[in-house]
Amino acid sequence: MDKQDIFGQIDGIEERMGTTYAELGALKKRIITLIEENKRLSIENQQLRKLIRQEETVIEEPTRDMAEEPVQLPGAGYDNLTRLYNEGFHICNVYYGHLRTEGDCLFCLSFLNK
């Protein structure tokens, strides 16, 4: 084999590897987007099922006062944010709602510790 042929083959392999790496990066971003959307839809589905159950109990209990609003206890918002963070989402103002892919976020943790 000629030296030029060997270097030509190596250059071709290197170029294909770069293209494959770029495609892999784009695929990874798409997967992250799909995982975030899936998690968001799962949470929305749970909330809708909870609302349906609440409405079913209201229909079954006609004596209940319809003007009654559910009372939120103090700290319920904090509990919700903690739950979201534990489920793998950012709660900081920088990346709010995005999936945490690389472990803990210092911004989120500082917000929780306030």
Side-chain angles (χ1 to χ4, degrees):
M1 266 195 168
D2 189 4
K3 291 179 185 178
Q4 293 289 34
D5 291 340
I6 293 173
F7 284 118
Q9 286 179 341
I10 290 175
D11 284 341
I13 291 171
E14 187 178 29
E15 185 177 314
R16 287 191 305 261
M17 285 177 65
T19 303
T20 304
Y21 184 73
E23 289 175 4
L24 185 62
L27 186 59
K28 182 180 175 183
K29 287 180 183 178
R30 179 72 176 138
I31 288 172
I32 289 172
T33 302
L34 290 173
I35 289 171
E36 288 176 348
E37 181 181 10
N38 187 23
K39 191 66 174 177
R40 182 185 58 79
L41 290 173
S42 295
I43 292 170
E44 184 179 349
N45 194 7
Q46 288 174 349
Q47 291 173 346
L48 289 173
R49 287 182 184 185
K50 185 177 178 181
L51 283 173
I52 288 172
R53 276 189 244 117
Q54 286 176 352
E55 287 189 15
E56 286 175 350
T57 58
V58 167
I59 291 172
E60 291 173 2
E61 300 173 8
T63 58
R64 185 174 173 193
D65 186 12
M66 297 301 258
E68 238 179 73
E69 290 291 323
V71 177
Q72 289 237 342
L73 300 174
Y78 178 82
D79 293 340
N80 287 335
L81 288 175
T82 304
R83 181 183 49 82
L84 281 173
Y85 183 78
N86 290 334
E87 288 178 359
F89 289 98
H90 283 277
I91 59 168
C92 61
N93 64 340
V94 180
Y95 299 110
Y96 183 80
H98 288 100
L99 191 64
R100 285 186 297 115
T101 56
E102 298 178 1
D104 290 332
C105 171
L106 294 178
F107 296 117
C108 294
L109 291 176
S110 69
F111 180 76
L112 286 175
N113 290 330
K114 284 186 178 179

